[in-house]
């Protein structure tokens, strides 16, 4: 019997290198209560686990593997879901999916109508998730990339238009009947009965989706806007029916209110859906850049195939005026390519054999043959789209707070509605009609939707705007922290400078200039440091043939050494020479000081422990560095420059940029420590670096801003990636982040203000003094417009141009 209760699953595990690893995982799993059997296949990297699902969940098994020091591989799917209107809807879907065994994590974005699910495909399938979503009362529109989504959304919107039209016509007829003289009616037909007959078909048609959604929400033990609205329109219509058939007084005629309420809710959702569709236009625009087909050579023949059928290694042909379908490397031909969609530069880039090509850029004037290197989800454009979508699905802390408030919102409003009804009818002695009108108005005017949409709509539009500008904001946390920044720390090489240093000075001692360059370049050819590349480039320019080098070694940011022609050559900075006890004469110190005071780097060369020369290398500042630094300082931020250069060189460069805060002689591995030191002093720090060499510092910073080079969009470290490699985008990224956070706060203010102001009016607090009440149909219209207002405010971010602000 026990075996029948158990389930068996397989988990993909990475990081195992030997049988000991497998044994460690097995032991960790068998220590879990509920695990009967655990076997690890090292070759397949699979852990097979037999367990009791009554005692254990998949997440417990995953955590046991992680605690043992290994990684569990999961799949990730983006599901499209229709019918979500507020945070309560998102919570309902999230809770339902998280109950499925095998689902690891669920994140729901109401605005983009996407559900991001991390799951174990060997335990739970997409079809099971689809069934769960539909049972929760929402429409499953397919997984990301399926064409079904747009078709279903169009059908839903078309259906809403028909319902709105029917509701508007019926409401007009009902309003007209209210003023029709009784004498115009047949004797046996009362006005109330006529209104009932006119209202019933329209009300049923309009309210069916609302009541259906409410039923499914209650079935899933979830209170949302549909439940409240169903109560409001249900009470209004039912009391009207009771008035018609003399159970209640004939004054209880809310037919026109019930129909108008259902119409206004449908109208609000139609407008809201239409506006929400515009929030993701940036993603659609990026997707629209992709080519649909490619011309490839297969079996010696040139054929045209779908873009999805291109594989790595294919020879692709692209003619003038055509889009380059995938990423690749030129193997034949020369042409200019328009890369403005990535680099922002309007001038086409010359491409020849060996040049890299980026998919979706445009070939201008000649035929190119290239080898496909990245296809499908691995292309630069696909990575940009994925980063933007994931960022739009993330939640900043301020949204988590709003979501928490919304969970208490509906119970609170239901309590207010009940208290209002009881107070007016039983305590203040008002009529039952007044008390029930107040109850209906409160139920339909309270709107958690506006609160739920305030943040995600602004995040979606703001991140999309950033993508249009070549600024990839990877998560909501980066947005939120960018607003709080107090300091920006720039790496010097490749960030403030062009990262392409050139040799400017060669000062040999007791050796010829060419011999000094030959010895230095023969050692440096083993290094990929920018300074090493400058020396090698100098040797190539002078036509110097390099010698073989042996026993190459590095000294962590201080220099290198190797044997050339049986002589030990050491190349590095003053610190390394002091450690190696290589003496530097006073007259040489003066020459070093002169080079460094000009903002250049002095590279010292010793041969057999004797200082044999100095090579001065300059890395030119980017044209936009000074302008960007000035703008940041004018905005009140502290600007720091960090570099491995000595203080004299660093000070000379900083002086040109007007930077007063200099961190010099910092080894690469110590940059993260300097970031942490500033944080310990109370600073909220952004670190700006190249994303590869500066990965630890980018990860340590509150906001890591990685400057890419057009193809480096997949940089893991850093919350923001600047695709265009333009330092001015640091300023734009911070401005945009601040604007988005400002808009989120405005949205939340209006959402809170709306509910705070109008719920008391609906409850009748102004009636004793001013005689002001709020009819249910006006309350319904106000409710519908509140969500539309918040979404519209978010859409205004599309007009924001940080370059002009």
């Amino acid at each position: 019997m026990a075996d029948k209760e158990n389930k068996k699953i397989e988990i993909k595990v990475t990081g195992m290198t030997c049988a000991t690893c497998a044994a460690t995982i097995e032991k960790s799993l068998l220590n879990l209560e509920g695990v009967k059997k655990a076997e690890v296949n090292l070759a397949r990297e699979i852990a097979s686990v037999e367990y009791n699902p009554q005692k254990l969940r998949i997440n417990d098994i995953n955590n046991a593997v992680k605690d043992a020091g290994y990684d569990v591989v999961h799949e990730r799917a983006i599901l499209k879901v229709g019918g979500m209107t507020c945070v309560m809807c998102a919570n309902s879907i999230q809770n339902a999916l998280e109950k499925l065994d095998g689902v690891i994590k669920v994140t729901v974005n109401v605005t983009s109508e996407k559900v991001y699910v991390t799951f174990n495909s060997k335990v739970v399938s997409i079809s099971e998730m689809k069934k769960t979503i539909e049972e929760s009362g929402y429409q499953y529109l397919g997984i990301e990339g399926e064409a079904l989504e747009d078709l279903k959304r169009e059908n839903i919107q078309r259906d809403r238009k028909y319902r709105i039209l029917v509701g508007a016509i019926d409401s007009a007829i009902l309003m007209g009947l209210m003023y029709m003289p009784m004498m115009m009616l047949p004797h046996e037909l009362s006005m109330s009965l006529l209104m009932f007959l006119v209202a019933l078909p329209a009300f049923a048609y309009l309210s069916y989706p609302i009541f259906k959604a409410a039923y499914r929400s209650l079935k899933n033990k979830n209170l949302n806007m549909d439940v409240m609205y169903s109560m409001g329109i249900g009470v209004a219509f039912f009391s009207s029916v009771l008035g018609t058939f003399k159970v209640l007084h004939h004054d209880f005629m809310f037919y026109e209110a019930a129909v108008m309420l259902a119409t206004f809710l449908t109208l609000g959702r139609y407008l809201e859906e239409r506006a929400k569709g515009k929030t993701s236009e940036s993603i659609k625009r990026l997707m629209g850049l992709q080519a649909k087909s490619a011309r490839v050579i297969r079996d010696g023949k040139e054929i045209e195939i779908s873009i999805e059928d291109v594989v790595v290694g294919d020879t692709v042909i692209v003619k003038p005026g055509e889009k380059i379908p995938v990423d690749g490397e030129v193997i034949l031909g020369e042409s200019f390519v328009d890369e403005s969609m990535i680099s922002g530069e309007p001038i086409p880039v010359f491409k020849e054999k060996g040049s890299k090509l980026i998919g979706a850029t445009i070939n201008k004037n000649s035929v190119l043959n290239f080898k496909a290197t990245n296809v499908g989800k691995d292309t630069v454009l696909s990575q940009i789209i994925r980063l933007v979508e994931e960022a739009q699905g993330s939640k900043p802390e301020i949204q988590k707070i709003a979501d928490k408030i919304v969970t208490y919102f509906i119970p609170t409003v239901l309590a207010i509605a009940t208290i209002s009804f009881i107070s007016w009818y039983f305590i203040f002695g008002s009529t039952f009609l007044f008390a029930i009108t107040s109850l209906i108005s409160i139920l339909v005017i309270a709107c958690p939707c506006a609160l739920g949409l305030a943040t995600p709509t602004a995040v979606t539009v703001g991140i999309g705007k950033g993508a249009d500008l070549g600024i990839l904001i990877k998560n909501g946390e980066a947005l939120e922290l960018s607003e709080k920044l107090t300091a920006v720390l720039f790496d010097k090489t490749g960030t403030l400078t062009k990262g392409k240093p050139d040799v400017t000075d060669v000062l040999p001692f007791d050796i010829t200039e060419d011999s000094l360059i030959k010895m230095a370049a023969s050692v440096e050819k083993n290094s990929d440091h920018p300074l090493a590349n400058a020396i090698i480039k100098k040797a190539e320019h002078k036509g110097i043939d390099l010698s073989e080098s042996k026993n190459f070694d590095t000294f962590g940011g201080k220099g290198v050494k190797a044997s050339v022609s049986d002589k030990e050559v050491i190349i590095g900075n003053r610190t390394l020479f002091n450690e190696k006890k290589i003496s530097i004469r006073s007259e040489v110190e003066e020459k070093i000081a002169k080079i460094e005071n000009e903002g250049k780097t002095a590279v010292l060369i010793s041969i057999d422990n004797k200082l044999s020369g100095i090579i001065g290398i300059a890395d030119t500042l980017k044209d936009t560095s000074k302008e960007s630094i000035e703008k940041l300082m004018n905005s009140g931020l502290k600007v720091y420059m960090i570099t491995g250069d000595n203080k004299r060189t660093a000070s000379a460069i900083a002086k040109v940029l007007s930077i007063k805060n200099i961190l010099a002689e910092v080894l690469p591995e110590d940059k993260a420590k300097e970031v942490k030191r500033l944080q310990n002093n109370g600073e909220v720090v952004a670190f700006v670096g190249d994303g590869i060499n500066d990965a630890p510092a980018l990860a340590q910073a509150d906001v890591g801003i990685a400057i890419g080079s057009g193809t480096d969009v997949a940089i893991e470290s850093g919350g923001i990636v600047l695709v265009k490699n333009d330092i001015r985008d640091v300023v734009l990224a911070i401005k945009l982040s601040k604007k988005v956070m400002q808009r989120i706060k405005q949205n939340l203010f209006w959402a809170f203000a709306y509910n705070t102001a109008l719920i008391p009016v609906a409850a009748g607090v102004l009636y004793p003094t001013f005689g002001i009440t709020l009819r249910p149909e006006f309350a319904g219209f106000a409710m519908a417009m509140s969500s539309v207002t918040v979404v519209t405010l978010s859409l205004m971010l599309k007009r924001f141009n940080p370059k002009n602000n």
Side-chain angles (χ1 to χ4, degrees), residues 15 23 67 77 97 109 140 234 260 312-313 324-325 328 340 365 391 400 432 439 486 509 533 603 606 617 619 686 803:
D67 290 343
L97 288 174
N109 187 320
Y140 173 80
M260 289 173 75
V312 173
I324 294 168
S340 58
N365 64 307
K400 295 173 185 175
F432 186 70
L439 174 75
T486 60
F509 308 134
N533 293 334
V603 177
S606 82
I617 300 176
D619 189 2
K803 295 178 182 179

Side-chain angles (χ1 to χ4, degrees), residues 739-799:
K739 188 66 177 180
V740 172
M741 291 307 300
Q742 180 187 9
R743 187 52 46 88
I744 287 172
K745 290 173 183 176
Q746 287 175 351
N747 285 349
L748 287 172
F749 169 79
W750 285 113
F752 276 113
Y754 159 84
N755 284 292
T756 304
L758 293 186
I759 289 176
V761 176
V765 295
L766 298 180
Y767 182 72
T769 308
F770 303 102
I772 296 174
T773 58
L774 196 61
R775 283 189 58 82
E777 56 267 40
F778 296 142
F781 180 75
M783 185 283 301
M785 290 302 102
S786 64
S787 294
V788 175
T789 301
V790 165
V791 177
T792 303
L793 282 172
S794 294
L795 285 172
M796 289 173 65
L797 281 170
K798 293 169 74 173
R799 301 179 186 175

Side-chain angles (χ1 to χ4, degrees), residues 30 308 360 544 773:
L30 290 169
E308 289 82 11
I544 298 172
T773 58

Side-chain angles (χ1 to χ4, degrees), residues 201-214:
F203 181 77
Y205 177 56
L206 276 164
S207 62
Y208 172 72
I210 304 169
F211 282 116
K212 182 181 177 182

Side-chain angles (χ1 to χ4, degrees), residues 399-505:
Q399 182 181 346
K400 295 173 185 175
I401 297 170
D403 288 354
K404 194 169 184 180
I405 292 170
V406 169
T407 58
Y408 297 103
F409 182 87
I410 291 177
T412 302
V413 171
L414 288 174
I416 292 171
T418 304
I419 292 168
S420 175
F421 175 81
I422 292 171
S423 299
W424 282 116
Y425 189 64
F426 292 104
I427 299 175
F428 300 120
S430 71
T431 63
F432 186 70
L433 176 63
F434 183 88
I436 202 73
T437 302
S438 173
L439 174 75
I440 295 169
S441 295
I442 294 170
L443 289 174
V444 298
I445 200 167
C447 185
C449 304
L451 285 171
L453 291 169
T455 301
T457 53
V459 168
T460 301
V461 177
I463 286 174
K465 180 69 178 180
D468 290 342
L469 296 169
I471 300 167
L472 302 184
I473 301 170
K474 293 168 70 175
N475 53 60
E477 186 182 7
L479 272 176
E480 198 159 19
L481 287 171
S482 293
E483 187 199 27
K484 302 173 183 177
L485 290 176
T486 60
V488 182
L489 182 56
F490 284 92
D491 181 53
K492 187 204 75 159
T493 305
T495 304
L496 293 172
T497 64
K498 293 179 179 177
K500 297 178 180 178
D502 291 309
V503 172
T504 56
D505 304 84

Side-chain angles (χ1 to χ4, degrees), residues 345 624-625 627-628 631 722 726-733:
E345 295 295 332
T624 56
S625 292
E627 173 194 347
S628 303
K631 286 183 177 179
L722 308 181
D726 188 340
I727 196 172
R728 288 176 296 186
D729 287 346
V730 174
V731 182
L732 301 188

